[in-house]
Amino acid sequence: MAVLLAPPTYHYGLLLAAVPLLAATVYSTYTTAVLGALSLVVYVLLHYERTEALDVWLIKVGLVAGFSIVGVMIAQSRAREQRLTRARDVALTLQRELLPQHMAAVPALHIAHRYVPADTAAGVGGDWFDVIPLSGGRVALVIGDVVGHGVHAAALMGRLRTAGQTLADLDSSPADLLAHMNDLLVRLGEENPEREPGATLLYLVYDPVTGNCTMSGAGHTPAAFRSPDGKVRFPELPSTPPLGLTGTVFADTEYLLEQGTVIALYTDGLLDLRSTDPDDGLKQLSNALADPTVGSLDDMCERIFGSHPDHPRDDDTALLLACTRRFDHTQVATWALACDPRDAATARTLTTQQLRVWDLEELVHSTTLIVSELVGNTVRHATAPITLRLVKATTLICEVADAVSAAPHVRRAGTLDEDGRGLFLISQLASRWGVRHHHDGKTIWVEQHLPAHAPRCDISGGSVR
C-alpha cells in the first residue's frame, strides 16, 4: 500500500526490489523471472511522471532490475542444488540397494565391512564389495571402484557386481574373471563412446582346506595382509591398468595364509588420495591394522576409520575385512584312487566309514550313491591321478578330481538307455553341484545339506588375536 500511495519522489517504490528476492526462496526460476519483470514494470508505471532528476530515476530503475536479476540467479542456484541433492539421493539409494545387505555366513572367513558415501556435492560413486561362497568351502572376496560419480556410476557398479557374481559362480580363476569383466567394459564403451566406462577391481579366492589365496587385480589399491603376530604386508601384484582397456593381460598370484590372517580390501577413498600422499595413507592403514588393542574385526574397522582425518570426503570409502580360518584334519578326508574298475566299491567303503565317524549315517545312502557315480564315470572316461575328498563344513562336500578337462553334462536318458542317468540322480540328491577346472584337470563337486542334528563347524567369533 505504501508503494502505491507514496508520491513518485518517495523511495517506497524500491520495496518492489524485494519481490524477486523473496520469490527466489520459494518459487521456480521461471516464476521468479516473471515476478521480477512485473516488479520492474510496476515500478516504471508508478513513477512514469518523474519529478526527480533523470539520473536518479535511472539508478532506481536499475536497482529494481538488478535485484530481479539477482533473484533469478538465486532461484537458479537453488534449483541446481535441489537437482544435485535429488540425483545424489537417487544414486545413494541405488548403490545401497545394489550393495550386499547381509553378508553370507561362510565357515572359511569371519567378515566385517564398512561403507561410507562421499560427503560432497559430487555425489556417490561406484564403490562395491562382495563375499561369494564357492565350491569346496572356498570363498571369493571382491572389491571395486567405478570411475565417476552419480547415478551412471552406481548403475555400472550394479552391472559389474552382477557380472562378477555370475563369473565367480562358474569357478573362473581371478585372472579369467578379470579378463571377462574387462571385455564387458570394452563392449560397454563401444556401445556408448561418449561415456568411457572404467573401473578398478581386486578379486581373490581363499581355500580353507589348503590356506591358499589366489589373487588378481586391475588398477586397484593393494590388499593388506595382517598375520596373527601383528605384522602387516601389502602383497605385490603385476601392474595392470583399470578395466576397460583392450589388450590387457591379467595374471594370478598365489599366497599361503596362516589361520587368523586378516585380509583387508579397500577403495582409494580410504587413503584420501586427493589430499594425502599414498604412502602416508598406506602407513596409517598399516598402523591401524597392527594395533594390538583391537579385539574383533568390527573394532578394527572403527580403528581404521578413526586413524584417518575426519574431514569431508569427496570420494566413497569401502572397507572389507576377512579373518581366515583353516579346516582342520577332522573336517577333511582325502583319498588317492588308482583309476581301477574296483575304485567305485573302494570309494563307497571309505565314504561309509568316514560318515560314521562324523555321525552322518543319515547321508550314507545318498553319499555312497553320489560317490559311486562320480568315481565310476571318472574311471571310465578319465585318467589317473584320481582323488576323492569329503569335507564337512556347513554342508557335506564331496569332490572327485581327475586329470581330464572335459566336463560331464546332464542329459535326458531314453526309456531303454542303459546309462546317462547318473548326473541326473546326483542333481536330485544334491543341494547343488558343478565342475571347476584347474591347470591339471577338473574337479566335480557335490554339496548336500547336513541333517538337523549334525553339529556344524564353528563360524562365530571374529577375534583377530
Side-chain angles (χ1 to χ4, degrees):
M1 184 63 67
V3 173
L4 296 176
L5 299 180
T9 56
Y10 281 37
H11 301 305
Y12 290 113
L14 294 178
L15 292 175
L16 290 171
V19 173
L21 297 179
L22 296 175
T25 63
V26 180
Y27 298 109
S28 65
T29 302
Y30 176 78
T31 303
T32 302
V34 171
L35 291 176
L38 289 177
S39 300
L40 180 61
V41 170
V42 169
Y43 183 84
V44 172
L45 291 177
L46 290 176
H47 297 76
Y48 71 97
E49 294 181 353
R50 54 182 174 81
T51 58
E52 55 193 355
L54 176 62
D55 55 348
V56 175
W57 185 79
L58 289 177
I59 290 174
K60 290 182 178 180
V61 172
L63 186 62
V64 175
F67 273 98
S68 298
I69 295 174
V70 171
V72 171
M73 294 174 65
I74 293 175
Q76 288 177 335
S77 299
R78 188 172 63 86
R80 182 177 180 274
E81 182 179 0
Q82 290 176 341
R83 288 195 300 269
L84 287 175
T85 301
R86 285 194 297 269
R88 185 179 184 276
D89 290 343
V90 169
L92 183 58
T93 302
L94 177 61
Q95 187 175 28
R96 283 179 171 169
E97 289 298 320
L98 292 173
L99 287 172
Q101 303 300 313
H102 302 285
M103 288 296 182
V106 291
L109 299 168
H110 302 305
I111 301 294
H113 58 88
R114 293 289 186 277
Y115 167 72
V116 179
D119 298 329
T120 64
V124 298
D127 293 16
W128 90 95
F129 54 87
D130 231 330
V131 178
I132 307 173
L134 302 177
S135 63
R138 300 169 307 129
V139 183
L141 300 180
V142 190
I143 193 160
D145 185 0
V146 173
V147 176
H149 295 84
V151 177
H152 294 294
L156 180 58
M157 177 271 288
R159 299 180 71 171
L160 291 179
R161 180 173 181 244
T162 301
Q165 290 177 329
T166 303
L167 293 170
D169 198 47
L170 296 176
D171 271 320
S172 301
S173 69
D176 289 341
L177 182 141
L178 290 182
H180 289 299
M181 298 278 276
N182 188 64
D183 292 340
L184 171 62
L185 277 179
V186 170
R187 288 196 300 271
L188 292 177
E190 293 173 348
E191 293 173 3
N192 189 357
E194 296 181 358
R195 182 180 296 113
E196 297 182 1
T200 64
L201 183 65
L202 188 63
Y203 180 84
L204 67 85
V205 175
Y206 174 69
D207 188 342
V209 176
T210 63
N212 189 61
C213 174
T214 306
M215 181 166 47
S216 187
H220 200 77
T221 49
F225 293 158
R226 178 193 185 271
S227 59
D229 61 4
K231 295 181 180 179
V232 179
R233 61 191 175 105
F234 296 90
E236 294 185 3
L237 295 179
S239 179
T240 53
L243 299 175
L245 301 176
T246 58
T248 305
V249 178
F250 302 95
D252 290 327
T253 305
E254 296 187 358
Y255 300 91
L256 185 62
L257 302 182
E258 301 178 64
Q259 176 168 295
T261 298
V262 175
I263 304 171
L265 306 182
Y266 52 93
T267 55
D268 58 5
L270 184 67
L271 303 181
D272 245 352
L273 295 180
R274 292 164 180 79
S275 57
T276 305
D277 183 84
D279 292 336
D280 292 338
L282 291 176
K283 184 177 180 180
Q284 291 175 357
L285 175 61
S286 178
N287 292 336
L289 288 171
D291 189 347
T293 62
V294 296
S296 68
L297 291 183
D298 287 324
D299 293 340
M300 187 172 287
C301 283
E302 298 302 326
R303 176 70 179 86
I304 290 173
F305 275 94
S307 66
H308 287 74
D310 188 17
H311 56 72
R313 299 179 181 271
D314 59 356
D315 196 9
D316 293 359
T317 300
L319 173 65
L320 178 63
L321 299 182
C323 184
T324 65
R325 70 180 299 271
R326 296 278 292 272
F327 291 165
D328 59 40
H329 65 280
T330 63
Q331 295 177 260
V332 183
T334 305
W335 303 279
L337 304 178
C339 198
D340 185 273
R342 293 169 293 184
D343 282 347
T346 302
R348 287 195 298 270
T349 301
L350 294 172
T351 299
T352 300
Q353 294 173 349
Q354 187 61 52
L355 292 182
R356 287 173 178 168
V357 172
W358 285 340
D359 193 23
L360 296 177
E361 293 195 15
E362 294 179 30
L363 297 179
V364 168
H365 178 72
S366 60
T367 307
T368 53
L369 177 57
I370 291 171
V371 167
S372 181
E373 288 292 338
L374 292 180
V375 174
N377 287 339
T378 302
V379 170
R380 187 179 304 113
H381 302 291
T383 59
I386 298 175
T387 303
L388 169 63
R389 183 168 75 176
L390 298 179
V391 180
K392 181 188 176 185
T394 53
T395 59
L396 177 63
I397 305 168
C398 173
E399 296 182 340
V400 175
D402 59 60
V404 176
S405 59
H409 300 280
V410 178
R411 67 182 181 89
R412 183 180 295 276
T415 305
L416 301 179
D417 290 347
E418 296 182 359
D419 56 10
R421 297 179 177 83
L423 288 180
F424 175 77
L425 291 175
I426 289 175
S427 66
Q428 300 304 303
L429 295 172
S431 58
R432 63 177 192 145
W433 73 280
V435 180
R436 68 174 181 267
H437 295 273
H438 36 81
H439 64 278
D440 54 356
K442 69 176 183 297
T443 297
I444 305 175
W445 56 270
V446 180
E447 292 186 7
Q448 299 178 84
H449 293 300
L450 296 179
H453 68 83
R456 269 67 171 175
C457 61
D458 182 21
I459 60 174
S460 61
S463 174
V464 297
R465 288 181 291 182

